[in-house]
Amino acid sequence: MDQWRKDIRDSINDVETLERVLGVPANEVRDIVDRYPVRITPAVLKMIKEKGDPIWKQVVPTSQEGESDSACHSGDPLHEEKDSPVPNLVHRYPDRVLLFVTNQCPIYCRFCTRKRFVGSPGMLTPDELSQVVNYLSARTEVRDIILSGGDPLMVADVLLERILGALRAISHIEIIRFGTRVPGTLPSRITDAFCAMIKRYHPIYMNLHFNHPDEITPEVALACNKLADAGVPLGSQTVLLAGVNDDPTVMKRLMQKLLAIRVKPYYIYQADLVAGTHHFRTRVETGLKIITALRGHTSGMAVPHYVIDAPGGGGKVALLPRDVLWSISDKEVFVKNYEDKIISYPQPDLQGGAASWAEDLQALSVIAQPFLED
Ligand SMILES: *Cc1c(COP(=O)(O)O)cnc(C)c1O
Ligand code: SF4
């Protein structure tokens, strides 16, 4: 058996093991885990230093996932299902598409946008793949495809190669990207054989998922180096998470450490409005303050785009401190997307009171003004 398969087998994936290894009472989280599965790989378990630390918070289930607030009620806040012309494919933007190849992931992040289906059995069937290929063959405007899920690197090399071969047979597809958390959480998956296979399908890009500097261990660095040596340009995607990385010092360290392992920071995402994840949300001011703390203070290479994936399928909107439309209400901000559409992003409750909010706005040099929703 491959080492990475053994690592999956040896992961924590039930409440009894969770109780035995991490001391989380099984009864407190049994209902949650029935709905939203748990998996913690040996590599991630080693990153946890103490109960409740930033790694723990990302992977250990809590009863808060059973709560919902009025903004975070949807299983599919980005309306991915509405924008899906054939099963498993999301076609939202003019020239690129997103393909779900499996529901499996190396770990089940408690804040996941796709909490509605990750961890359930299922991967792209040969029949579904041919529907996708038929659709894409007729869409000559599509030049970029992103393999996602779940995590596409959970699929065996031979099956992945079948998908890559089918996509490479479509001449107008110029680039293939992977969105994956595997190198940072199941580094044993990045074998020499996998790297040799990937090289045959270039140009391949990978956007890796990292949220905290403690995730960059020597074995993770080695996996990233192997991919970079195989000629795969590496980017990172980070989700801004309360209690994990909502701090400029932590974020700066993460971005710098990513560059040191040849991963170029690409996106920091504002948390989506996903049912069962409200406790991870931060206010938009927090993200803007992080960008302000990065820009100019460290390598420009270390500064990603800070984006809101606009609720309802509006697409990603990059936020710069002066491009947010501030309403006089502390309950929401408005963002303008690439089609000049104005969309409301409801904010979690203000913690520090009106005076602290006024201070934040002043520090960001913005003036709140009455704003009409159209
Ligand atoms: C994020 C995303 C993409 C890719 O967007 P980029 O900004 O090009 O990285 C494509 N399709 C969908 C549906 C997405 O959510
Ligand atoms: S690896 Fe990605 S898709 Fe899987 S649970 Fe984590 S955030 Fe969701």
Side-chain angles (χ1 to χ4, degrees), residues 124 239 286:
L124 196 68
V239 186
T286 307

Side-chain angles (χ1 to χ4, degrees), residues 152-279:
L153 293 197
M154 293 300 280
V155 173
D157 289 2
V158 41
L159 298 176
L160 216 42
E161 186 153 23
R162 201 170 293 164
I163 295 170
L164 291 172
L167 296 175
R168 274 285 169 245
I170 305 171
S171 58
H172 52 269
I173 293 190
E174 296 171 358
I175 64 171
I176 298 175
R177 302 193 237 174
F178 283 78
T180 174
R181 202 165 182 179
V182 158
T185 58
L186 183 66
S188 53
R189 171 69 181 96
I190 309 305
T191 60
D192 294 340
F194 172 77
C195 293
M197 184 275 279
I198 277 294
K199 274 170 100 161
R200 292 198 287 275
Y201 296 90
H202 272 318
I204 300 274
Y205 287 73
M206 289 193 188
N207 284 316
L208 316 182
H209 179 164
F210 288 100
N211 297 328
H212 192 276
D214 289 353
E215 293 165 31
I216 301 167
T217 62
E219 50 181 343
V220 167
L222 187 68
C224 293
N225 268 314
K226 278 190 181 185
L227 290 169
D229 284 347
V232 181
L234 302 174
S236 72
Q237 315 197 81
T238 296
V239 186
L240 178 54
L241 298 166
V244 173
N245 58 17
D246 56 342
D247 176 294
T249 311
V250 171
M251 273 297 192
K252 195 201 287 187
R253 195 67 204 120
L254 173 60
M255 300 304 146
Q256 291 167 338
K257 284 183 89 171
L258 286 169
L259 283 180
I261 59 166
R262 294 195 273 172
V263 177
K264 163 77 185 82
Y266 180 41
Y267 280 144
I268 292 178
Y269 289 98
Q270 176 67 13
D272 293 324
L273 306 174
V274 188
T277 69
H278 71 104
H279 50 294

Side-chain angles (χ1 to χ4, degrees), residues 90 92-93 96-98 146 177 266-267 269 309 316:
V90 184
R92 168 166 305 151
Y93 296 104
R96 55 208 189 279
V97 294
L98 192 69
I146 300 147
R177 302 193 237 174
Y266 180 41
Y267 280 144
Y269 289 98
D309 216 335
K316 296 178 185 70

Side-chain angles (χ1 to χ4, degrees), residues 104-109 111-114 118 149-151 181 209:
Q104 292 294 305
C105 293
I107 57 173
Y108 292 111
C109 310
F111 51 84
C112 179
T113 295
R114 311 227 172 90
V118 293
D151 197 308
R181 202 165 182 179
H209 179 164

